[in-house]
Amino acid sequence: MGFWKNLFSGSDTSSAPIAAQIEGYQSAGTSDRPGTNPRVYFSTDRDIDLYELEELCDAVGWSRRPLRKVKKAIQYSFLVVSMWEMRGKTRRLIGFSRATSDHAFNATIWDVVVHPEFQGKGFGKSLMNYTIKRLRSEDISNITLFADPHVVEFYRTLGFMSDPEGIKGMFWYPNR
């Protein structure tokens, strides 16, 4: 419960913003030449190269989606967060999430993806923490998401619960 208490109370124990907490990232085998050590940072800029986003989604095995629909989803999202690795002057998209919202009470997080090279190293947690803090800064108090079975435990470690009040989600899909 400490994770949620920290988010909702606004009493962050660190003085550095989350983005700065992961800037010190250095990958194994990185060259000692100046300007080649990687940094990782977040952006909320919606001007994302859709082909680069598609490559990221391909890297984790997601099925392809029409780019026109991805563009529309980003355009109409309440929040878009991208996570970038910067090596010298080259940047690479390594993580992404977005959220829709009613702009008052509720938000749903969608499309959380972290490149496989960065999974299991705390980057997904940093991406989610950043996304949640941005939503909380907009006074959004109810945050939901949908998770595939193989990542449910990851979200539980962040404080998400399955059906906390016994509410059953319902879905409508067109006939296929």
Side-chain angles (χ1 to χ4, degrees):
M1 193 65 181
F3 173 78
W4 288 110
K5 186 176 182 181
N6 182 35
L7 283 177
F8 293 122
S9 69
S11 59
D12 191 358
T13 55
S14 71
S15 59
I18 288 182
Q21 291 178 9
I22 63 172
E23 281 185 10
Y25 160 75
Q26 283 191 296
S27 63
T30 302
S31 169
D32 289 332
R33 292 187 326 231
T36 60
N37 290 336
R39 290 184 2 218
V40 176
Y41 68 94
F42 294 109
S43 174
T44 55
D45 183 1
R46 293 169 189 261
D47 188 24
I48 296 171
D49 181 329
L50 297 179
Y51 294 102
E52 193 169 6
L53 179 56
E54 188 68 20
E55 286 177 20
L56 175 61
C57 294
D58 282 346
V60 296
W62 286 8
S63 58
R64 291 201 171 239
R65 302 178 295 181
L67 291 181
R68 66 179 171 73
K69 286 189 167 190
V70 173
K71 179 179 180 179
K72 194 175 198 177
I74 290 171
Q75 178 184 358
Y76 289 105
S77 290
F78 179 73
L79 174 67
V80 174
V81 177
S82 53
M83 185 168 56
W84 300 87
E85 177 188 47
M86 191 76 169
R87 263 184 212 270
K89 294 182 180 182
T90 305
R91 75 177 193 163
R92 173 180 157 199
L93 182 64
I94 61 168
F96 179 85
S97 69
R98 67 182 185 88
T100 54
S101 177
D102 62 9
H103 297 249
F105 302 106
N106 305 294
T108 301
I109 299 173
W110 303 95
D111 299 336
V112 178
V113 60
V114 174
H115 194 282
E117 290 176 27
F118 296 84
Q119 292 178 7
K121 300 176 182 176
F123 289 98
K125 181 178 180 180
S126 292
L127 176 63
M128 287 300 297
N129 284 341
Y130 185 84
T131 302
I132 292 166
K133 282 196 178 221
R134 291 298 301 250
L135 291 170
R136 291 295 299 134
S137 74
E138 296 291 332
D139 203 25
I140 301 295
S141 56
N142 299 317
I143 301 171
T144 59
L145 57 78
F146 296 91
D148 289 330
H150 68 281
V151 292
V152 166
E153 191 54 38
F154 167 74
Y155 291 112
R156 277 196 182 115
T157 65
L158 297 175
F160 284 88
M161 298 173 280
S162 300
D163 291 334
E165 297 175 10
I167 300 168
K168 303 296 179 199
M170 298 181 75
F171 302 89
W172 179 91
Y173 294 106
N175 292 336
R176 295 178 187 213

